[in-house]
Amino acid sequence: MTYSVSPIGFVRSCFKEKFAIPRQPQLAPAARGVLELVAPFDQPEAIQGLEQVSHVWLLFVFHQALEDKPRLKVRPPRLGGNQSMGVFATRATHRPNGIGQSVVALEKIEPGKLWLSGIDLLDGTPVLDIKPYVPYADQVPGAFNHMAAAAPRLLPVSWSQPALEQAELHAQRLSEPLVALIEQCLAQDPRPAYQTPEPERRYGAKFWDLDVHWHYPTPAEIRILDVVLAND
Ligand code: SAM
């Protein structure tokens, strides 16, 4: 039996590529985006009452990780990428039906548009449904997950003076908390856990319309080198 679903909207996100997106929502509160609803859900009736809600669950499609053959085991980056686990024990993007879920903050709403923060979603992500967060039911006292017991360890992030000046200028132009966004995302250390960084290697990721470059002066610290307009 098959069921068909279709998007109720698409996310316009600060994240233009998968690299450097936090592994879960809420890890980078400055990660913002807009969920643009499509007809008929772009009408005021569809969001009536949502102004009473601080957070929503989004059910979405990992549209850039879809695969024909379902995997039973995956290698979560959190475990260093060298240990495999049952797909249903993880939040891996490669999964049957390619469905993701994230709880995100609702900053502002207007018909057809929901402004979100704390997102972990790629630009263009198709959203299948929105559900209000219900604190009494969604917070589970005593819950545990020994595999993902705590948020990832943060690395200290520092700026070169020119990079910080560039970021502040672009933040003004975009009206976005860009300095915080870059610091919060890079502090999670986007590099695959199995890779030991060489100090001279430059890493890069896209945020909004910008390319951000950094390096690891030591394996346990990040220094941002520049923040420049992306070519495309
Ligand atoms: N919170 C969600 C969940 O638990 O289902 C997503 C967790 S998943 C581990 C988070 C990663 O998904 C991000 O770091 C990003 O690289 C990737 N991602 C986000 N949006 C995506 C999309 N539309 N297609 C493919 N990968 C995506």
Side-chain angles (χ1 to χ4, degrees), residues 49-108:
L50 210 49
E51 69 287 346
Q52 299 177 51
V53 167
S54 67
H55 291 73
V56 287
W57 286 103
L58 299 181
L59 298 174
F60 61 90
V61 179
F62 287 116
H63 73 305
Q64 284 203 7
L66 295 174
E67 291 178 325
D68 291 338
K69 194 166 177 289
R71 300 186 192 195
L72 302 187
K73 298 199 92 179
V74 293
R75 294 173 185 272
R78 194 180 173 93
L79 299 179
N82 48 18
Q83 212 182 323
S84 65
M85 281 286 155
V87 64
F88 299 127
T90 79
R91 297 281 197 102
T93 57
H94 294 289
R95 55 193 318 112
N97 299 311
I99 293 178
Q101 61 174 82
S102 293
V103 65
V104 299
L106 201 48
E107 299 287 343
K108 187 173 86 162

Side-chain angles (χ1 to χ4, degrees), residues 18 50 55 58 102 110 130 141 158-159 172 182 196-197 221:
K18 287 188 264 180
L50 210 49
H55 291 73
L58 299 181
S102 293
E110 69 180 43
I130 305 167
S158 67
W159 294 82
Q172 270 180 23
I182 295 171
T196 311
E221 69 185 298

